[in-house]
Amino acid sequence: MSSANQFGSRFTMASFGESHGTALGVLIDGCPAGVDFDSAMLTHEMERRRPGYHGSGQIVSGRQETDVPEVLSGVFDGKTLGTPIAIIVRNQDARSNDYSKIQNSPRAGHADDVWKNKFGHSDHRGGGRSSGRETVSRVMAGAVAKMMMTKVSPKTRVIGYASQIGPITLTAEDRNNVSNVHVDSFQARFPSKEDQKVAELLKKAQENGDSYGGIAEILIQAPPAHLGQPVFHKLKSDLAMAFMSVGAANGFELGLGFDSADVQGTEFHQGSQDVYGGIRGGISTGESILLRVSFKPTSSILDVAKKGRHDPCIVTRAIPVLEAMTWLVLADHYLWAKTDKL
C-alpha cells in the first residue's frame, strides 16, 4: 500500500477502494480505547455526504448509493478497543458502461490521462480512485475522530457552509449568523435567503451541461488550545494539506487570508484577533478558527455532464468531507500534543 493513501501522524487513516470497485473503506489506527462508538453519528455523517440529502437531489449527482457502513474490527460492546478500526461501504449503483469511451479518450479537466500515464495501468470506471467517491473513506474516519473529540473536548464544534457559489456570495450578516442556523436545512448548504436562488442556478447549470465553482468555509468553535507541531506540522499547514487533498480544491485561506496583503502591520496587529484565524505560530490559541477553501468548477461539462451523473458544483457535496478532514486533524494533533511535555 502506498503511503500516499494514508493521512495523519498519531490518529491515522488509510483510504482504499475505487469508484466502481466492490467496496470502499478506511483503516483507522491510533484511536484510543474506550471511546463510545456512536453508530448513529456515523450513519448520519454518511447520509450527509450522499446525493439528495435534505432535498438537494436536483442539484447533485444522480448516483444513489446506500453507503451503509460495515464495521469490521476495532469496536466491541459499543466502545473502541484501541486496535485498528476497519469500516467499509459496498458499491451498489455503479454504471461502468457509462465510462467505456473514456478508456481511450480522457475527459477534459479530469485526472483520466495523468493517472494512466503515471501508473501505466488504471481503473477508468467513474474515475477509479481519483473519483470524488473516495471521500466516503474520509467521512467514515472523520466520524470516528469526531467521536473521540466529543469525549475529550465536548464544546468543540465544526461548522461547514458554502459562502459563495458562482456569482452569489453570503452577506456579512449571514456569515455572522451561521452558528445559529442548521446549515443542512438549506438545499445548497448556503445559509441565506438566497439559497433557493443558488439551487436554481445549479439546476439550470446541470440541465445545460455547465458547472460552477465556489468557496466553502469551515468554522471551528472552541477548539482545544495549543494544537500544532512547529515547524513542519503547524496546525494551519496540516489543515491546508487536508483540505487541498480534496478533489477540485484549488485555494486555501486562514483568517484574513489574502486580504491581509494590502494591510499595514500597525493596523493588522493592533486590531481584532480575528485576522489570525485562531492560529498563531502554527499553534491554536483556543479562539475560533476560520478557514476558507475554494473549488474550481466541476470538470464534467457539456455532453459528459448531460449523459452522466455529475455534480454541477463541488462545494455543496464537499462540506461534510471538509468537516471530516477537520475532525481528523484535530484528533491527530490532540493526541500529538499529549507528548509535548511531562
Side-chain angles (χ1 to χ4, degrees), residues 13 18 32 35 38 77 151 155-156 165 170 214 262 290 306 316 332-333 335:
M13 64 158 283
E18 291 80 39
V35 174
D38 190 340
D77 279 351
K151 183 179 180 71
K155 293 184 179 180
T156 301
I165 291 183
L170 277 185
D262 61 355
L290 180 61
K306 292 178 181 179
T316 299
D332 192 32
H333 276 273
L335 295 177

Side-chain angles (χ1 to χ4, degrees), residues 145-282:
K146 183 177 180 179
M147 295 172 201
M148 190 199 93
M149 291 304 298
T150 298
K151 183 179 180 71
V152 300
S153 184
K155 293 184 179 180
T156 301
R157 294 180 66 196
V158 175
I159 305 170
Y161 54 95
S163 64
Q164 180 176 347
I165 291 183
I168 307 174
T169 304
L170 277 185
T171 65
E173 181 180 357
D174 287 331
R175 186 178 283 106
N176 291 335
N177 193 46
V178 72
S179 61
N180 299 319
V181 300
H182 181 47
V183 175
D184 283 349
S185 67
F186 295 86
Q187 192 173 356
R189 291 192 168 108
F190 190 82
S192 162
K193 62 183 180 181
E194 298 295 311
D195 179 68
Q196 184 58 40
K197 184 177 179 181
V198 171
E200 291 170 359
L201 178 77
L202 296 183
K203 182 180 179 182
K204 184 176 180 180
Q206 193 172 52
E207 292 171 350
N208 294 336
D210 212 337
S211 64
Y212 285 97
I215 297 174
E217 294 189 2
I218 297 292
L219 175 64
I220 310 174
Q221 294 182 325
H226 311 138
L227 303 186
Q229 295 294 331
V231 170
F232 296 113
H233 280 282
K234 294 179 172 71
L235 185 61
K236 64 180 180 180
S237 62
D238 280 5
L239 285 165
M241 178 171 62
F243 293 162
M244 292 300 286
S245 71
V246 177
N250 64 359
F252 173 83
E253 284 188 316
L254 166 70
L256 193 59
F258 291 104
D259 288 340
S260 63
D262 61 355
V263 180
Q264 290 179 291
T266 49
E267 178 184 348
F268 185 89
H269 296 291
Q270 293 181 335
S272 170
Q273 292 290 303
D274 292 344
V275 296
Y276 302 113
I279 299 175
R280 283 188 281 115

Side-chain angles (χ1 to χ4, degrees), residues 14 30 35 44 50 54 76 89 106 138 156 168 176 181 196 199 205 236 244 248 270 281 300 302 334 341:
V35 174
H44 177 66
R50 290 180 63 240
H54 274 314
F76 181 70
V89 295
R138 301 168 185 245
T156 301
I168 307 174
N176 291 335
V181 300
Q196 184 58 40
K236 64 180 180 180
M244 292 300 286
Q270 293 181 335
S300 296
L302 302 177
Y334 179 87
K341 58 186 177 183

Side-chain angles (χ1 to χ4, degrees), residues 110-121:
H110 287 267
D112 302 331
D113 55 342
V114 292
W115 194 278
K116 186 173 183 178
N117 291 338
K118 177 177 175 62
F119 294 104
H121 179 64

